[in-house]
Coordinates of all heavy atoms in Angstrom, one line a residue:
M1 N 73.4 104.2 112.9 CA 74.1 105.0 113.9 C 75.6 104.7 113.8 O 76.0 103.5 113.5 CB 73.6 104.5 115.3 CG 74.3 105.2 116.4 SD 74.1 104.4 118.1 CE 72.4 104.1 118.2
S2 N 76.4 105.6 114.0 CA 77.8 105.5 114.0 C 78.5 106.4 115.1 O 77.9 107.4 115.4 CB 78.4 105.7 112.6 OG 78.3 107.0 112.3
T3 N 79.6 106.0 115.4 CA 80.3 106.8 116.4 C 81.8 106.6 116.2 O 82.3 105.7 115.5 CB 80.0 106.4 117.9 OG1 80.6 107.2 118.8 CG2 80.4 104.9 118.2
S4 N 82.6 107.5 116.7 CA 84.1 107.3 116.7 C 84.6 107.7 118.0 O 84.0 108.5 118.7 CB 84.7 108.1 115.5 OG 84.5 109.5 115.8
F5 N 85.7 107.2 118.4 CA 86.3 107.6 119.7 C 87.8 107.5 119.6 O 88.4 106.9 118.7 CB 85.9 106.7 120.8 CG 86.2 105.2 120.6 CD1 87.4 104.7 121.2 CD2 85.4 104.4 119.9 CE1 87.7 103.4 121.0 CE2 85.7 103.0 119.8 CZ 86.9 102.5 120.3
S6 N 88.5 108.2 120.4 CA 89.9 108.2 120.5 C 90.3 107.9 121.9 O 89.6 108.1 122.9 CB 90.5 109.6 120.1 OG 90.1 110.0 118.8
F7 N 91.5 107.4 122.0 CA 92.1 107.1 123.3 C 93.5 107.4 123.4 O 94.2 107.4 122.3 CB 91.8 105.7 123.8 CG 92.4 104.6 122.9 CD1 93.6 104.1 123.1 CD2 91.7 104.2 121.7 CE1 94.2 103.2 122.3 CE2 92.2 103.2 120.9 CZ 93.5 102.8 121.2
L8 N 94.1 107.7 124.5 CA 95.5 107.9 124.7 C 96.0 106.7 125.3 O 95.4 105.9 126.2 CB 95.7 109.1 125.7 CG 95.2 110.4 125.1 CD1 95.4 111.5 126.1 CD2 95.8 110.7 123.8
I9 N 97.2 106.3 124.9 CA 97.9 105.1 125.4 C 98.7 105.4 126.6 O 99.0 106.5 127.0 CB 98.7 104.4 124.3 CG1 99.7 105.4 123.7 CG2 97.8 103.9 123.2 CD1 100.7 104.8 122.7
R10 N 99.2 104.3 127.3 CA 100.1 104.5 128.4 C 99.5 105.2 129.6 O 99.9 106.3 130.0 CB 101.4 105.1 128.0 CG 102.2 104.2 127.0 CD 103.5 104.9 126.6 NE 104.1 104.3 125.4 CZ 103.6 104.5 124.2 NH1 102.6 105.3 123.9 NH2 104.3 103.9 123.2
D11 N 98.4 104.7 130.1 CA 97.7 105.2 131.3 C 97.3 106.7 131.0 O 97.5 107.6 131.9 CB 98.6 105.2 132.5 CG 98.9 103.8 132.9 OD1 97.9 102.9 132.7 OD2 100.0 103.5 133.4
G12 N 96.8 107.1 129.9 CA 96.4 108.4 129.6 C 97.4 109.4 129.1 O 97.1 110.5 128.9
L13 N 98.6 109.0 129.0 CA 99.7 109.9 128.6 C 100.1 109.5 127.1 O 100.5 108.4 126.8 CB 100.9 109.8 129.5 CG 100.6 110.1 130.9 CD1 101.9 109.8 131.7 CD2 100.2 111.5 131.1
E14 N 99.8 110.4 126.2 CA 100.3 110.2 124.8 C 101.8 110.3 124.8 O 102.4 111.2 125.3 CB 99.6 111.3 123.9 CG 99.9 111.0 122.5 CD 99.1 111.9 121.6 OE1 98.5 112.9 122.1 OE2 99.1 111.7 120.4
S15 N 102.4 109.4 124.1 CA 103.9 109.4 124.1 C 104.4 110.5 123.2 O 103.7 111.0 122.3 CB 104.4 108.0 123.6 OG 104.2 107.9 122.2
D16 N 105.6 110.9 123.4 CA 106.3 112.0 122.6 C 106.4 111.4 121.2 O 106.3 112.2 120.2 CB 107.6 112.3 123.2 CG 107.5 113.1 124.5 OD1 106.4 113.7 124.7 OD2 108.4 113.1 125.3
L17 N 106.7 110.1 121.0 CA 107.0 109.6 119.7 C 105.7 109.6 118.9 O 105.6 110.0 117.7 CB 107.4 108.1 119.9 CG 107.6 107.3 118.5 CD1 108.7 108.0 117.7 CD2 108.0 105.9 118.8
D18 N 104.5 109.3 119.5 CA 103.2 109.3 118.9 C 103.0 110.7 118.4 O 102.5 111.0 117.3 CB 102.1 108.9 119.8 CG 102.1 107.3 119.9 OD1 102.9 106.7 119.3 OD2 101.4 106.8 120.8
A19 N 103.2 111.7 119.3 CA 103.0 113.1 118.9 C 103.9 113.6 117.8 O 103.4 114.3 116.9 CB 103.2 114.0 120.1
C20 N 105.1 113.2 117.8 CA 106.0 113.5 116.7 C 105.6 112.9 115.4 O 105.7 113.5 114.3 CB 107.5 113.0 117.0 SG 108.2 114.0 118.4
L21 N 105.1 111.6 115.4 CA 104.8 110.9 114.2 C 103.3 111.3 113.8 O 102.8 110.8 112.8 CB 104.9 109.4 114.4 CG 106.3 108.9 114.6 CD1 106.3 107.4 114.9 CD2 107.2 109.3 113.5
E22 N 102.6 112.0 114.6 CA 101.2 112.3 114.4 C 100.4 111.1 114.2 O 99.6 111.0 113.3 CB 101.1 113.3 113.3 CG 101.8 114.6 113.5 CD 101.6 115.6 112.3 OE1 100.8 115.3 111.4 OE2 102.3 116.6 112.4
L23 N 100.5 110.1 115.1 CA 99.8 108.9 115.0 C 98.3 109.1 115.5 O 98.1 109.9 116.4 CB 100.4 107.7 115.9 CG 101.8 107.3 115.5 CD1 102.3 106.3 116.4 CD2 101.8 106.8 114.0
D24 N 97.4 108.5 114.8 CA 96.0 108.6 115.1 C 95.5 107.3 115.8 O 95.7 106.2 115.2 CB 95.2 108.8 113.8 CG 93.8 109.0 114.0 OD1 93.3 109.2 115.1 OD2 93.0 109.0 113.0
H25 N 94.8 107.4 116.9 CA 94.4 106.3 117.6 C 92.8 106.3 117.5 O 92.2 105.9 118.5 CB 94.8 106.3 119.1 CG 96.3 106.3 119.3 ND1 97.0 105.1 118.9 CD2 97.2 107.2 119.6 CE1 98.3 105.4 119.2 NE2 98.4 106.6 119.5
T26 N 92.2 106.7 116.4 CA 90.8 106.8 116.3 C 90.2 105.6 115.7 O 90.7 105.2 114.6 CB 90.4 108.1 115.5 OG1 91.0 109.2 116.2 CG2 88.9 108.3 115.4
Y27 N 89.2 105.1 116.3 CA 88.4 104.0 115.7 C 87.0 104.5 115.3 O 86.5 105.3 116.0 CB 88.2 102.8 116.7 CG 89.3 102.0 116.9 CD1 90.4 102.5 117.8 CD2 89.5 100.7 116.4 CE1 91.5 101.6 118.0 CE2 90.6 99.9 116.6 CZ 91.6 100.4 117.4 OH 92.7 99.6 117.6
Q28 N 86.5 104.1 114.1 CA 85.2 104.5 113.7 C 84.3 103.2 113.8 O 84.7 102.1 113.4 CB 85.1 105.0 112.3 CG 85.9 106.3 112.2 CD 85.9 106.7 110.7 OE1 85.3 106.1 109.8 NE2 86.6 107.9 110.5
T29 N 83.1 103.3 114.5 CA 82.3 102.1 114.7 C 80.9 102.4 114.3 O 80.4 103.5 114.6 CB 82.3 101.7 116.2 OG1 83.6 101.6 116.6 CG2 81.6 100.4 116.5
E30 N 80.3 101.5 113.5 CA 78.9 101.6 113.1 C 78.0 100.5 113.8 O 78.6 99.4 114.0 CB 78.7 101.5 111.6 CG 79.4 102.6 110.9 CD 79.2 102.5 109.4 OE1 78.4 101.7 108.9 OE2 79.9 103.2 108.7
Y31 N 76.8 100.8 114.1 CA 75.9 99.9 114.9 C 74.6 99.7 114.0 O 74.2 100.6 113.3 CB 75.5 100.5 116.2 CG 76.6 100.7 117.1 CD1 77.4 102.0 117.1 CD2 77.1 99.8 118.0 CE1 78.5 102.1 117.9 CE2 78.2 100.0 118.8 CZ 78.9 101.2 118.8 OH 79.9 101.4 119.6
D32 N 74.0 98.6 114.2 CA 72.7 98.3 113.6 C 71.6 98.8 114.6 O 71.9 99.3 115.6 CB 72.5 96.9 113.2 CG 72.6 95.9 114.3 OD1 72.5 96.3 115.5 OD2 72.6 94.7 114.1
S33 N 70.4 98.6 114.2 CA 69.2 99.0 115.0 C 69.1 98.3 116.4 O 68.4 98.8 117.2 CB 67.9 98.8 114.2 OG 67.7 97.5 113.9
R34 N 69.8 97.2 116.5 CA 69.8 96.4 117.8 C 71.0 96.7 118.6 O 71.4 96.1 119.6 CB 69.8 94.9 117.5 CG 68.5 94.5 116.9 CD 68.4 93.0 116.7 NE 67.1 92.6 116.2 CZ 66.8 91.4 116.2 NH1 67.6 90.4 116.6 NH2 65.6 91.0 115.7
N35 N 71.8 97.8 118.2 CA 73.0 98.2 118.9 C 74.1 97.2 118.8 O 75.0 97.2 119.6 CB 72.7 98.6 120.3 CG 73.6 99.7 120.8 OD1 74.1 100.5 120.0 ND2 73.9 99.8 122.1
N36 N 74.1 96.4 117.8 CA 75.2 95.5 117.5 C 76.3 96.2 116.7 O 75.9 96.9 115.7 CB 74.8 94.3 116.7 CG 73.8 93.4 117.5 OD1 74.0 93.2 118.7 ND2 72.8 92.9 116.9
V37 N 77.5 96.0 117.0 CA 78.6 96.6 116.2 C 78.6 95.8 114.8 O 78.8 94.6 114.8 CB 80.0 96.4 116.8 CG1 81.1 96.9 115.9 CG2 80.0 97.2 118.1
V38 N 78.5 96.6 113.7 CA 78.5 95.9 112.4 C 79.7 96.2 111.5 O 80.0 95.5 110.6 CB 77.2 96.3 111.6 CG1 75.9 95.6 112.3 CG2 77.0 97.7 111.4
R39 N 80.3 97.4 111.9 CA 81.5 97.7 111.1 C 82.4 98.5 111.9 O 82.0 99.4 112.6 CB 81.1 98.6 109.9 CG 82.2 99.1 109.0 CD 81.7 99.9 107.8 NE 82.8 100.4 107.0 CZ 83.3 101.6 107.3 NH1 82.9 102.3 108.2 NH2 84.3 102.0 106.5
T40 N 83.7 98.2 111.9 CA 84.7 98.9 112.6 C 85.9 99.3 111.6 O 86.2 98.4 110.8 CB 85.3 98.1 113.8 OG1 84.2 97.8 114.6 CG2 86.3 98.9 114.5
L41 N 86.4 100.5 111.7 CA 87.5 101.0 110.9 C 88.6 101.4 111.9 O 88.3 102.3 112.7 CB 87.1 102.1 110.0 CG 88.1 102.5 108.9 CD1 88.3 101.4 107.9 CD2 87.5 103.7 108.2
D42 N 89.7 100.7 111.9 CA 90.8 101.0 112.9 C 91.6 102.1 112.4 O 91.4 102.6 111.3 CB 91.5 99.7 113.3 CG 92.4 99.2 112.3 OD1 92.7 100.0 111.3 OD2 92.9 98.1 112.4
P43 N 92.6 102.5 113.3 CA 93.4 103.6 112.9 C 94.2 103.4 111.6 O 94.8 104.3 111.0 CB 94.4 103.8 114.1 CG 93.6 103.3 115.2 CD 92.8 102.1 114.7
N44 N 94.5 102.2 111.2 CA 95.2 101.8 110.0 C 94.2 101.7 108.8 O 94.6 101.1 107.8 CB 96.0 100.5 110.2 CG 97.0 100.7 111.3 OD1 97.7 101.7 111.3 ND2 97.2 99.7 112.1
N45 N 93.0 102.1 108.9 CA 92.0 102.0 107.9 C 91.7 100.5 107.5 O 91.3 100.3 106.3 CB 92.3 102.8 106.7 CG 92.1 104.3 107.0 OD1 91.2 104.7 107.7 ND2 93.0 105.1 106.3
I46 N 91.8 99.6 108.5 CA 91.5 98.2 108.2 C 90.0 98.0 108.7 O 89.7 98.3 109.9 CB 92.4 97.3 108.9 CG1 93.8 97.5 108.4 CG2 91.9 95.9 108.8 CD1 94.9 96.6 109.0
E47 N 89.2 97.6 107.8 CA 87.8 97.4 108.1 C 87.4 96.0 108.6 O 88.0 95.0 108.1 CB 87.0 97.7 106.8 CG 85.5 97.5 107.0 CD 84.8 97.7 105.6 OE1 85.2 97.3 104.6 OE2 83.7 98.4 105.7
T48 N 86.6 95.9 109.6 CA 86.0 94.7 110.1 C 84.6 94.7 110.0 O 84.0 95.7 110.6 CB 86.6 94.4 111.5 OG1 88.0 94.4 111.5 CG2 86.1 93.0 112.0
L49 N 83.9 93.7 109.4 CA 82.5 93.6 109.4 C 82.0 92.5 110.3 O 82.7 91.4 110.4 CB 82.0 93.3 108.0 CG 82.1 94.3 106.9 CD1 81.6 93.9 105.6 CD2 81.4 95.6 107.3
V50 N 80.9 92.6 110.9 CA 80.3 91.6 111.7 C 78.9 91.4 111.2 O 78.1 92.4 111.1 CB 80.3 91.9 113.2 CG1 79.7 90.7 114.0 CG2 81.7 92.2 113.7
I51 N 78.5 90.1 110.9 CA 77.2 89.8 110.4 C 76.5 88.9 111.5 O 77.1 88.0 112.0 CB 77.3 89.0 109.1 CG1 78.1 90.0 108.1 CG2 75.9 88.6 108.6 CD1 78.5 89.3 106.8
Y52 N 75.3 89.3 111.8 CA 74.5 88.7 112.9 C 73.3 87.9 112.3 O 72.8 88.1 111.2 CB 74.0 89.7 113.8 CG 75.1 90.5 114.5 CD1 75.6 91.7 113.9 CD2 75.6 90.1 115.7 CE1 76.6 92.4 114.5 CE2 76.6 90.9 116.3 CZ 77.1 91.9 115.7 OH 78.1 92.7 116.3
D53 N 72.9 86.8 113.1 CA 71.7 86.1 112.8 C 70.5 86.9 113.4 O 70.7 87.9 114.0 CB 71.8 84.6 113.3 CG 71.8 84.5 114.8 OD1 71.6 85.5 115.5 OD2 71.9 83.4 115.2
P54 N 69.3 86.4 113.2 CA 68.1 87.1 113.7 C 68.0 87.2 115.2 O 67.3 88.0 115.8 CB 66.9 86.3 113.2 CG 67.5 85.6 111.9 CD 68.9 85.3 112.2
L55 N 68.8 86.4 115.9 CA 68.9 86.5 117.4 C 70.0 87.4 117.8 O 70.4 87.3 119.0 CB 69.0 85.1 118.0 CG 67.8 84.1 117.7 CD1 68.0 82.8 118.3 CD2 66.5 84.7 118.2
S56 N 70.6 88.2 117.0 CA 71.8 89.1 117.3 C 73.0 88.3 117.7 O 73.8 88.9 118.5 CB 71.4 90.1 118.4 OG 70.4 91.0 117.8
R57 N 73.2 87.1 117.2 CA 74.4 86.4 117.5 C 75.4 86.5 116.3 O 74.9 86.4 115.2 CB 74.1 84.9 117.8 CG 73.2 84.6 119.0 CD 72.9 83.2 119.1 NE 72.2 82.7 118.0 CZ 71.6 81.5 117.9 NH1 71.7 80.6 118.9 NH2 70.9 81.1 116.8
P58 N 76.6 86.8 116.6 CA 77.6 87.0 115.5 C 77.8 85.7 114.7 O 78.2 84.7 115.4 CB 78.8 87.6 116.1 CG 78.7 87.1 117.5 CD 77.3 87.0 117.8
I59 N 77.6 85.6 113.4 CA 77.8 84.4 112.7 C 78.9 84.5 111.7 O 79.5 83.5 111.3 CB 76.5 84.0 111.9 CG1 76.0 85.1 111.0 CG2 75.4 83.5 112.9 CD1 74.9 84.7 110.1
Q60 N 79.3 85.8 111.3 CA 80.5 85.9 110.5 C 81.2 87.2 110.9 O 80.6 88.2 111.2 CB 80.1 86.1 109.0 CG 79.6 84.9 108.4 CD 79.4 85.1 106.8 OE1 79.1 86.2 106.4 NE2 79.5 84.0 106.1
V61 N 82.5 87.1 110.9 CA 83.4 88.3 111.1 C 84.3 88.3 109.9 O 85.0 87.3 109.6 CB 84.1 88.2 112.4 CG1 85.1 89.4 112.6 CG2 83.2 88.1 113.6
V62 N 84.4 89.4 109.2 CA 85.2 89.6 108.1 C 86.2 90.7 108.3 O 85.8 91.8 108.6 CB 84.4 89.9 106.8 CG1 85.3 89.9 105.5 CG2 83.3 88.9 106.6
R63 N 87.5 90.4 108.1 CA 88.5 91.5 108.3 C 89.3 91.7 106.9 O 89.7 90.8 106.3 CB 89.5 91.0 109.3 CG 90.6 92.0 109.6 CD 91.2 91.8 111.0 NE 92.3 92.6 111.2 CZ 92.2 93.8 111.8 NH1 91.1 94.3 112.2 NH2 93.3 94.5 112.1
D64 N 89.3 92.9 106.5 CA 89.8 93.3 105.2 C 91.4 93.2 105.3 O 92.0 93.6 106.3 CB 89.5 94.8 104.9 CG 90.2 95.3 103.7 OD1 90.4 94.5 102.7 OD2 90.4 96.5 103.6
M65 N 92.0 92.5 104.4 CA 93.4 92.3 104.3 C 94.1 92.9 103.2 O 95.4 92.8 103.1 CB 93.7 90.8 104.4 CG 93.2 90.1 105.7 SD 93.8 90.8 107.2 CE 95.5 90.4 107.2
N66 N 93.4 93.4 102.2 CA 94.0 94.0 101.0 C 93.6 95.4 100.7 O 93.9 95.9 99.6 CB 93.8 93.0 99.8 CG 92.3 92.8 99.5 OD1 91.5 93.3 100.2 ND2 92.0 92.0 98.5
G67 N 92.9 96.1 101.6 CA 92.7 97.5 101.4 C 91.4 97.9 100.6 O 91.2 99.0 100.3
N68 N 90.7 96.9 100.1 CA 89.5 97.2 99.3 C 88.2 97.0 100.0 O 87.2 96.9 99.3 CB 89.6 96.4 98.0 CG 89.4 95.0 98.2 OD1 89.5 94.5 99.3 ND2 89.2 94.2 97.1
G69 N 88.2 96.9 101.3 CA 87.0 96.8 102.1 C 86.8 95.3 102.4 O 87.2 94.4 101.7
A70 N 86.1 95.1 103.6 CA 85.8 93.7 104.0 C 84.7 93.1 103.2 O 83.7 93.7 103.1 CB 85.5 93.8 105.5
D71 N 85.0 91.9 102.6 CA 84.1 91.2 101.8 C 84.1 89.8 102.1 O 85.2 89.1 101.9 CB 84.4 91.6 100.3 CG 83.4 90.9 99.3 OD1 82.5 90.1 99.8 OD2 83.6 91.1 98.1
P72 N 83.0 89.1 102.5 CA 83.1 87.7 102.8 C 83.4 86.8 101.6 O 83.9 85.7 101.8 CB 81.7 87.4 103.3 CG 80.9 88.6 103.2 CD 81.8 89.7 102.7
L73 N 83.3 87.3 100.4 CA 83.6 86.5 99.2 C 85.0 86.8 98.7 O 85.4 86.2 97.7 CB 82.6 86.9 98.1 CG 81.1 86.6 98.4 CD1 80.2 87.0 97.3 CD2 80.9 85.2 98.8
E74 N 85.7 87.7 99.3 CA 87.1 88.1 98.8 C 88.1 87.1 99.4 O 88.2 86.9 100.6 CB 87.4 89.5 99.3 CG 88.9 89.9 99.1 CD 89.2 90.0 97.7 OE1 88.5 90.7 96.9 OE2 90.3 89.5 97.2
P75 N 88.8 86.3 98.6 CA 89.7 85.3 99.1 C 90.8 85.8 100.0 O 91.3 85.1 100.9 CB 90.3 84.7 97.8 CG 89.4 85.0 96.7 CD 88.7 86.3 97.1
A76 N 91.2 87.1 99.7 CA 92.3 87.6 100.6 C 91.9 88.0 102.0 O 92.7 88.1 102.9 CB 92.9 88.8 99.9
D77 N 90.6 88.3 102.2 CA 90.1 88.7 103.5 C 90.0 87.5 104.4 O 89.7 86.4 104.0 CB 88.8 89.4 103.3 CG 88.9 90.7 102.6 OD1 90.1 91.2 102.4 OD2 87.9 91.3 102.2
I78 N 90.1 87.8 105.7 CA 89.9 86.8 106.7 C 88.4 86.6 107.0 O 87.8 87.6 107.4 CB 90.7 87.1 108.0 CG1 92.2 87.1 107.7 CG2 90.4 86.1 109.1 CD1 93.0 87.6 108.8
L79 N 87.9 85.4 107.0 CA 86.5 85.1 107.3 C 86.4 84.1 108.4 O 87.0 83.1 108.3 CB 85.8 84.6 106.1 CG 84.3 84.1 106.3 CD1 83.4 85.3 106.7 CD2 83.8 83.5 105.0
I80 N 85.8 84.6 109.5 CA 85.5 83.6 110.6 C 84.0 83.4 110.7 O 83.2 84.3 110.7 CB 86.0 84.2 111.9 CG1 87.5 84.4 111.8 CG2 85.6 83.3 113.1 CD1 88.0 85.3 113.0
E81 N 83.6 82.1 110.6 CA 82.2 81.8 110.7 C 81.9 81.0 112.0 O 82.7 80.2 112.4 CB 81.7 81.0 109.5 CG 81.8 81.7 108.2 CD 81.3 81.0 107.0 OE1 81.8 79.9 106.7 OE2 80.2 81.5 106.4
Q82 N 80.7 81.3 112.5 CA 80.3 80.5 113.7 C 78.9 80.0 113.4 O 78.0 80.7 113.0 CB 80.2 81.4 114.9 CG 79.8 80.7 116.2 CD 80.2 81.5 117.4 OE1 81.0 82.5 117.4 NE2 79.6 81.2 118.5
V83 N 78.6 78.7 113.8 CA 77.3 78.1 113.5 C 76.7 77.7 114.9 O 77.4 77.2 115.8 CB 77.5 76.8 112.7 CG1 76.2 76.2 112.5 CG2 78.1 77.2 111.4
F84 N 75.4 78.0 115.1 CA 74.7 77.7 116.3 C 73.8 76.5 116.0 O 73.2 76.5 115.0 CB 74.0 78.9 116.9 CG 74.9 80.0 117.3 CD1 75.2 81.1 116.4 CD2 75.5 80.0 118.5 CE1 76.0 82.1 116.8 CE2 76.3 81.1 118.9 CZ 76.6 82.1 118.0
D85 N 73.6 75.7 117.0 CA 72.6 74.5 116.9 C 71.3 75.0 117.3 O 71.0 75.8 118.1 CB 73.0 73.4 117.7 CG 74.2 72.7 117.2 OD1 74.5 72.8 116.0 OD2 74.9 72.0 118.0

């Protein structure tokens, strides 16, 4: 399942500057079968992956930093790991 949404900044009013620059405030989000967010693509095309354990707890978050997609094995990407007892 995936979805995308847009929002307007500044209390629902899009700024004239944003309109002139044609800025996009659209996020694309993908979910797994348990309705957990597994992938997000922000307006700057920066990908974030979230990896869950069998109890739907996030154990890794990977943020793409070099434009080739989020990869937990890529040294340039940011990897945050969480361990549960």
Side-chain angles (χ1 to χ4, degrees):
M1 173 194 315
S2 66
T3 187
S4 65
F5 62 92
S6 300
F7 60 91
L8 299 177
I9 56 175
R10 294 176 196 79
D11 297 324
L13 301 174
E14 187 174 11
S15 73
D16 292 336
L17 178 61
D18 288 351
C20 291
L21 297 176
E22 298 180 9
L23 296 179
D24 183 11
H25 299 291
T26 302
Y27 284 77
Q28 295 177 1
T29 307
E30 292 181 15
Y31 300 86
D32 64 12
S33 61
R34 295 182 175 190
N35 210 27
N36 296 317
V37 173
V38 293
R39 180 179 176 270
T40 302
L41 192 62
D42 73 11
N44 297 317
N45 287 327
I46 296 175
E47 180 182 41
T48 302
L49 293 178
V50 183
I51 301 167
Y52 297 89
D53 70 5
L55 299 176
S56 291
R57 299 178 296 191
I59 56 172
Q60 289 185 335
V61 178
V62 185
R63 183 159 174 90
D64 179 30
M65 297 304 292
N66 56 1
N68 66 348
D71 180 357
L73 303 177
E74 172 68 48
D77 293 347
I78 296 174
L79 172 63
I80 300 170
E81 293 185 300
Q82 183 165 343
V83 178
F84 296 94
D85 290 337

